[in-house]
Amino acid sequence: MAENNKPIGVFDSGIGGLSVLKQFIRFLPYENYIYLGDTARVPYGNRSDETVMRYATECTDFLLKQEVKLIVVACNTVSSVALDTVRKRANIPVIGMINPAAGAAIRASVNKKIGVIGTRATISSNAYEIALTELCQSNEIKVYSKACPLFVPLVEEGMVYHNAARLLADEYLEELKLHEIDTLVLGCTHYPLLSPLLTELLPGVSLIDSGEHAAVNAVRLLAEDKKLVKERDEYIIKPEIKFFVTDVSPTFYDLAQRFLGFPVDSPKLVTLE
Ligand code: DGL
């Protein structure tokens, strides 16, 4: 197949990465996609780095077999602890979530006090702090990070407007508020679904959606490499998406629709090795 017409491969620990795929479809609607969700082993966010690296290798090998032209590591946890592992394995471009979001946060922040929220693994890796410090020209930058492990199950239970979400968010964000951050990186696939609540609790703070900025980076990268798909019928924009998962739970379709914004076709069940 001509390089341009190969699909973009996106993988995540589960269904959350569909929030990233949603952004890719927004910016690259003519592309075709292969989405792999390791739903049998989600969550990755509380696991050791070694395990996340092993899982990431298996997901990468699966996408390489599908002959994708670009790999998008939609999972912030994998992007934080195993991006090098994926890059070493793949002989094609790889886009992670950290650098695009860090760059956007620096551009958005005026007082250079930036908050980062993510899973335990993402926060303890310090990946965002390292990227923000490296990308920011000034030494004045201050990064305040907070692991918010209970946000993932809360979003998956559809409780984003529930009082429990507000209580939890108040608790998690208290310290970041005290530090007067003006920008908050949503360093997890699930957090964009909490944006209305976070905007309400942090008025005036810019929220950075890592999937959105990764998609913008992908547009630039594919255009520079001359690998954008050749446009098909201009008037019919319907990306072809093939879904692969390692488990289909009873809530799969409902959850997937919430993350992606439209109903998904039947996924194919696969085993990773
Ligand atoms: N996809 C993960 C992330 O963005 C959240 C879910 C998990 O812990 O696996 O970090």
Side-chain angles (χ1 to χ4, degrees):
M1 191 192 287
E3 194 65 17
N4 297 64
N5 296 330
K6 287 182 178 173
I8 294 175
V10 180
F11 83 85
D12 179 48
S13 55
I15 301 168
L18 293 175
S19 70
V20 176
L21 180 60
K22 180 181 179 175
Q23 295 294 343
F24 271 70
I25 294 170
R26 184 174 152 218
F27 289 100
L28 290 163
Y30 288 106
E31 298 291 336
N32 295 314
Y33 295 92
I34 289 192
Y35 182 88
L36 170 65
D38 191 6
T39 43
R41 301 190 293 198
V42 69
Y44 285 8
N46 296 322
R47 297 191 193 275
S48 68
D49 289 3
E50 292 70 26
T51 300
V52 174
M53 284 179 201
R54 182 158 53 84
Y55 291 173
T57 303
E58 293 172 6
C59 292
T60 305
D61 287 350
F62 177 86
L63 288 180
L64 290 174
K65 276 195 203 125
Q66 307 299 313
E67 296 197 35
V68 295
K69 64 181 171 187
L70 166 72
I71 291 182
V72 179
V73 181
C75 182
N76 273 264
T77 300
V78 176
S79 299
S80 299
V81 306
L83 196 64
D84 282 348
T85 310
V86 176
R87 287 219 160 105
K88 278 189 195 129
R89 197 98 186 154
N91 49 351
I92 53 170
V94 174
I95 287 193
M97 296 297 114
I98 313 301
N99 271 25
I106 290 166
R107 288 190 295 278
S109 177
V110 175
N111 70 7
K112 296 291 178 268
K113 292 180 183 177
I114 298 175
V116 178
I117 53 176
T119 63
R120 277 209 185 91
T122 296
I123 298 306
S124 59
S125 75
N126 280 329
Y128 271 110
E129 192 161 345
I130 293 167
L132 284 161
T133 316
E134 269 174 20
L135 291 173
C136 188
Q137 308 295 351
S138 129
N139 301 329
E140 303 295 298
I141 188 168
K142 291 265 184 296
V143 183
Y144 303 99
S145 305
K146 180 78 185 168
C148 306
L150 290 170
F151 275 168
V152 166
L154 197 87
V155 170
E156 295 207 353
E157 288 303 317
M159 292 171 71
V160 293
Y161 295 108
H162 195 278
N163 268 344
R166 184 176 297 272
L167 278 175
L168 255 185
D170 265 336
E171 173 78 22
Y172 282 148
L173 300 176
E174 193 185 347
E175 226 178 287
L176 302 183
K177 271 187 177 169
L178 286 177
H179 288 298
E180 298 180 333
I181 56 159
D182 72 353
T183 304
L184 178 67
V185 178
L186 308 182
C188 174
T189 48
H190 288 56
Y191 301 174
L193 279 80
L194 288 164
S195 291
L197 175 65
L198 298 175
T199 304
E200 195 189 312
L201 296 178
L202 299 168
V205 171
S206 306
L207 302 183
I208 304 296
D209 178 330
S210 48
E212 178 179 357
H213 297 285
V216 172
N217 262 39
V219 175
R220 196 178 316 130
L221 189 146
L222 290 175
E224 281 171 6
D225 287 358
K226 302 201 180 347
K227 280 194 194 154
L228 285 167
V229 74
K230 298 262 179 273
E231 284 187 23
R232 297 164 304 181
D233 187 338
E234 262 181 67
Y235 300 103
I236 305 169
I237 303 177
K238 191 177 183 302
E240 189 189 296
I241 312 167
K242 286 191 186 136
F243 295 100
F244 295 91
V245 291
T246 49
D247 181 60
V248 185
S249 71
T251 55
F252 172 81
Y253 289 98
D254 182 42
L255 256 181
Q257 181 164 354
R258 256 189 279 139
F259 279 100
L260 194 55
F262 56 86
V264 301
D265 295 337
S266 294
K268 207 166 164 207
L269 206 55
V270 292
T271 310
L272 300 176
E273 51 202 34

